[in-house]
Amino acid sequence: MKIVNYLLVIGILIVALSCSDSQPKDKVVLTVTQDSLQFIIPDDVKGPMLFVETLEDDGKAYLSFKNEVEPEILFYEISSGNLVKRVMYGVEGDNAITGGFMGYRAIDFDHIYIPSMYITTIFITDTTGTIKDKINFSQTDTNQPLIPFIPGLYGTVEIIDGQFYILQTVNPMLREKALEDSPVSVVIDTMRHVVRALPMKFPQLITYEDFGTSAGNGEDYYRCFTGDNFVYSFYYSELMYKADIRHQSVTSCPVKSCYIDKVEILRNSSNNQNAILKDRAEQANYGSVLYDKYRKVYYRVAYPASAIEESDNYLKIIRSGKKNFSIMILDKDLNVIGETLFPDYTFNPHLWFVREEGLYISTNNEMNPNYDENQLVFKRVELKDVE
């Protein structure tokens, strides 16, 4: 497929729009620059739509992602854009990721952690594809059953002093007690071989009766880590949560987008899956949160309500970050200090990362007329003070 030269595409200057006179004036704004990063995707690879990872090895910075159609991770040197490693992992046999995988955590080339999609096991591996060890987290020290998780969709595995802080979703095995008892995060003490549920539980956004319906994802969230705190963005709540590492202290803070009146759980009783996808693509909700350690701010994605044409591919729209979105800029106390609305079908907020020179957001939106499946492209976005 012909490769589009994104460097020739006219850069988009995005200015934060004033929401209303009642909103505090923005102190900062995100502005898209002409600077780009480009990575060539091989013809036999399906590029990412939901997340990418950055890592360092031997003093160099790399970007990685999973091939969406194979159990393979690709590694690119960021400075050159060169593909340096393609690692295929087995899914059957002794040296395999049992059950396959969607997400992973790569610290460097020698330390890669891959949770199975279907069993409660994290596989410890490297860029040779060799399985070095396994970590089981089937239940906690109080015999509470746990479930598999997919890093990247809800945040990533954080490893702190040899302990693995992993994510959980609402656990249907707990039945009527699922919302009350499901932990949001779990810590695996690899030295003592103990698995403990952290005390933070899910906010009561749905009910047990919502399980298996269109409202079943109403507790979806994203978690980021600052080095001192975990911060949670629940997709169907204005509230964000900040927890210390052990989650002994958890505080909530309202963080409302000026482009969203309110968020509501989608309750569509239709048997028409396409109709449900359309509603989901059009409804307002919040998204992931990312911490910028260089500028000491958080970025929270917000998706305003939008109207989608009947002929549009709703799943593509959802996978690519909906029709449009804004990014809220928050200070260390989760106060909103700015919000920038991005143009329709231009960027994919699932594919983003922070470097010292700025925030990078991908233009790999499948609805973008310049989208090329053989390139992974990021635009550098600057955080600027409002004059």
Side-chain angles (χ1 to χ4, degrees), residues 49-52 152 222 235 288 301 303 317-322 347-353 361-362:
M49 276 294 152
L50 298 177
F51 74 97
V52 293
Y222 197 90
Y235 295 171
S288 55
V301 175
Y303 299 101
I317 291 171
I318 294 169
R319 281 168 48 84
S320 294
K322 296 197 171 186
F347 293 91
N348 182 343
H350 301 310
L351 306 179
W352 63 343
F353 59 90
I361 308 176
S362 178

Side-chain angles (χ1 to χ4, degrees), residues 241-252:
Y241 297 82
K242 180 185 285 189
D244 62 11
I245 291 177
R246 290 290 183 177
H247 291 60
Q248 297 296 324
S249 173
V250 180
T251 58
S252 64

Side-chain angles (χ1 to χ4, degrees), residues 130-281:
T130 303
I131 305 303
K132 299 178 177 179
D133 204 352
K134 304 173 186 179
I135 300 173
N136 178 277
F137 60 94
S138 59
Q139 63 182 24
T140 69
D141 56 349
T142 60
N143 298 319
Q144 180 176 330
L146 298 175
I147 54 178
F149 70 99
I150 301 174
L153 294 185
Y154 301 98
T156 191
V157 178
E158 296 295 342
I159 304 170
I160 306 168
D161 297 330
Q163 300 190 337
F164 287 61
Y165 289 77
I166 66 172
L167 306 116
Q168 288 283 277
T169 51
V170 174
N171 189 344
M173 289 192 293
L174 301 178
R175 301 184 64 79
E176 290 85 354
K177 292 282 189 179
L179 291 166
E180 179 182 341
D181 290 348
S182 293
V184 178
S185 292
V186 168
V187 60
I188 305 171
D189 187 330
T190 57
M191 301 297 291
R192 297 184 177 90
H193 303 286
V194 174
V195 181
R196 292 190 300 274
L198 295 174
M200 180 180 172
K201 300 297 191 290
F202 284 84
Q204 301 296 296
L205 300 176
I206 61 174
T207 67
Y208 177 68
E209 287 70 28
D210 288 322
F211 289 5
T213 73
S214 64
N217 70 334
E219 296 283 0
D220 281 359
Y221 69 96
Y222 197 90
R223 183 187 80 180
C224 73
F225 184 59
T226 69
D228 297 307
N229 296 282
F230 288 99
V231 172
Y232 295 84
S233 170
F234 285 85
Y235 295 171
Y236 296 94
S237 174
E238 293 174 5
L239 293 179
M240 292 183 65
Y241 297 82
K242 180 185 285 189
D244 62 11
I245 291 177
R246 290 290 183 177
H247 291 60
Q248 297 296 324
S249 173
V250 180
T251 58
S252 64
C253 179
V255 181
K256 186 180 187 303
S257 167
C258 60
Y259 299 103
I260 296 177
D261 181 24
K262 62 179 179 178
V263 289
E264 295 180 328
I265 304 296
L266 177 62
R267 290 183 168 87
N268 186 330
S269 59
S270 171
N271 291 322
N272 185 333
Q273 291 302 310
N274 210 42
I276 293 175
L277 284 174
K278 184 176 186 292
D279 285 349
R280 198 173 302 286

Side-chain angles (χ1 to χ4, degrees), residues 297-333:
V297 297
Y298 300 91
Y299 305 115
R300 187 191 197 188
V301 175
Y303 299 101
S306 59
I308 306 297
E309 295 297 326
E310 291 289 343
S311 60
D312 284 335
N313 187 316
Y314 309 129
L315 187 58
K316 271 188 180 181
I317 291 171
I318 294 169
R319 281 168 48 84
S320 294
K322 296 197 171 186
K323 183 176 181 178
N324 62 16
F325 64 93
S326 69
I327 294 181
M328 309 169 69
I329 304 106
L330 319 176
D331 67 14
K332 63 181 179 62
D333 298 315

Side-chain angles (χ1 to χ4, degrees), residues 21 43 65 74 93 98 114 143 169-170 197 203 216 254 257 292 345 351 377:
D21 292 338
D43 290 338
F65 64 84
L74 289 80
T98 306
I114 305 181
N143 298 319
T169 51
V170 174
S257 167
D292 185 337
Y345 300 134
L351 306 179
V377 180

